[in-house]
Amino acid sequence: MDHSTNNDDTTISEEGKEGGNIFQYVTTMEEVDGSSSSPNVLAVLAYACIRLAHLSHDAFGDSRASKRLYKLAASCDPNWYSYHGIGTSVEASITQSFSSNEAEGIIWREQMEKAVDAYREASRTCNGEGEVKFHLAVALERLEELEESEQIMETLRRGESNLSCLVDSWGYVRWHTRRTNPYHLNLHRGTRAMLEIALEAAQPLLQYEDGLVCEFGVASGRSCRMTQELLPLNTRIDGFDTFTGLSAFVLFYY
């Protein structure tokens, strides 16, 4: 992959013009009819790009790198998951595109429209995946295309319980962020990026008021380890988990 360019919209075809198959040195799969574009090879490369994109987004907090990788995946083997990833990573990286010499509103709208285009393509190819439609509806609402957004939301409300819960959750987020500049909403950020935001806000409590750092529900300890990496070396972090779920007594008591 060519890292000498900062153009996030570069596609695999543009990057590979001079060097042919840019992944040739990492694959030993047989070519079909002498072609370096074997469907099997492209599918594997697309899968690898998707996995790297998720890692970049969630573990490293780099949504711009994630966006480029999802685009590479879609160029190798177009599928709804790649386009869905493009949409979410575009929304997650919008604030990283702001600069002092351009109006934030113009950049925000341009990027949101790109996210909507990606969600539409994902929705077209996924044959009704509910989460894709939900993200499309939210993006449309943020662009004030309310009629189409509400139609999708109403369909989801009447659908399966997990989808209706998504709609309810968005209502909660919408209400509690009503005074936040919409250009600066941290939607679709990965685990590490959200932890960075939370810990930055908590720094005064940690530095001046001897605050505690606790995580309830550590599971495998993944996010707990991320938190430890982001904290100063001498900061203590306490993690709690039953690993068996809450007891019937606790559930009844609360």
Side-chain angles (χ1 to χ4, degrees):
M1 191 185 306
D2 182 4
H3 291 287
S4 62
T5 175
N6 292 323
N7 182 6
D8 291 338
D9 295 326
T10 302
T11 64
I12 188 172
S13 59
E14 292 170 339
E15 292 180 348
K17 283 178 180 177
E18 296 183 1
N21 177 8
I22 62 175
F23 297 108
Q24 188 171 2
Y25 67 98
V26 297
T27 178
T28 58
M29 295 186 69
E30 295 182 2
E31 299 177 356
V32 176
D33 298 328
S35 170
S36 61
S37 299
S38 163
N40 289 336
V41 171
L42 293 178
V44 169
L45 294 175
Y47 175 79
C49 286
I50 288 172
R51 297 301 298 169
L52 287 171
H54 177 74
L55 182 66
S56 297
H57 174 74
D58 199 60
F60 299 148
D62 191 346
S63 298
R64 298 181 75 173
S66 175
K67 176 170 59 175
R68 290 191 293 269
L69 285 162
Y70 277 123
K71 288 182 177 181
L72 287 171
S75 298
C76 290
D77 180 29
N79 60 78
W80 74 267
Y81 198 93
S82 297
Y83 287 110
H84 184 218
I86 292 171
T88 55
S89 56
V90 165
E91 287 199 73
S93 62
I94 287 179
T95 55
Q96 299 172 350
S97 303
F98 292 160
S99 60
S100 58
N101 60 347
E102 291 187 74
E104 291 183 355
I106 296 174
I107 296 174
W108 180 84
R109 176 162 288 277
E110 289 176 349
Q111 294 300 312
M112 284 299 301
E113 289 173 350
K114 289 180 181 179
V116 166
D117 290 342
Y119 291 140
R120 289 193 191 281
E121 185 62 26
S123 181
R124 185 184 68 81
T125 57
C126 75
N127 194 27
E129 180 69 23
E131 187 178 355
V132 174
K133 292 185 178 298
F134 170 70
H135 288 155
L136 172 60
V138 171
L140 288 169
E141 181 181 315
R142 297 182 71 194
L143 285 169
E144 297 184 345
E145 297 182 24
L146 302 181
E147 183 175 353
E148 183 180 359
S149 172
E150 182 54 34
Q151 289 177 354
I152 298 173
M153 290 291 193
E154 185 59 29
T155 300
L156 296 175
R157 285 191 194 97
R158 299 174 182 273
E160 298 177 5
S161 59
N162 61 317
L163 299 179
S164 62
C165 287
L166 281 176
V167 177
D168 292 341
S169 297
W170 171 240
Y172 177 89
V173 172
R174 183 200 297 120
W175 173 255
H176 287 279
T177 59
R178 63 191 185 280
R179 295 187 178 90
T180 303
N181 186 331
Y183 305 155
H184 295 163
L185 281 181
N186 294 303
L187 298 184
H188 302 296
R189 302 291 289 271
T191 302
R192 189 180 190 89
M194 294 304 293
L195 286 172
E196 288 175 345
I197 292 171
L199 292 173
E200 182 180 354
Q203 278 304 312
L205 294 175
L206 298 177
Q207 291 178 356
Y208 307 116
E209 300 185 30
D210 197 26
L212 299 175
V213 181
C214 303
E215 177 171 318
F216 296 90
V218 300
S220 65
R222 177 172 171 271
S223 58
C224 199
R225 289 192 294 271
M226 284 187 188
T227 302
Q228 187 69 70
E229 292 171 3
L230 295 169
L231 290 169
L233 291 177
N234 61 345
T235 305
R236 173 176 168 172
I237 176 171
D238 296 295
F240 301 86
D241 206 321
T242 66
F243 299 103
T244 57
L246 295 176
S247 68
F249 172 77
V250 172
L251 289 174
F252 177 77
Y253 181 81
Y254 285 98

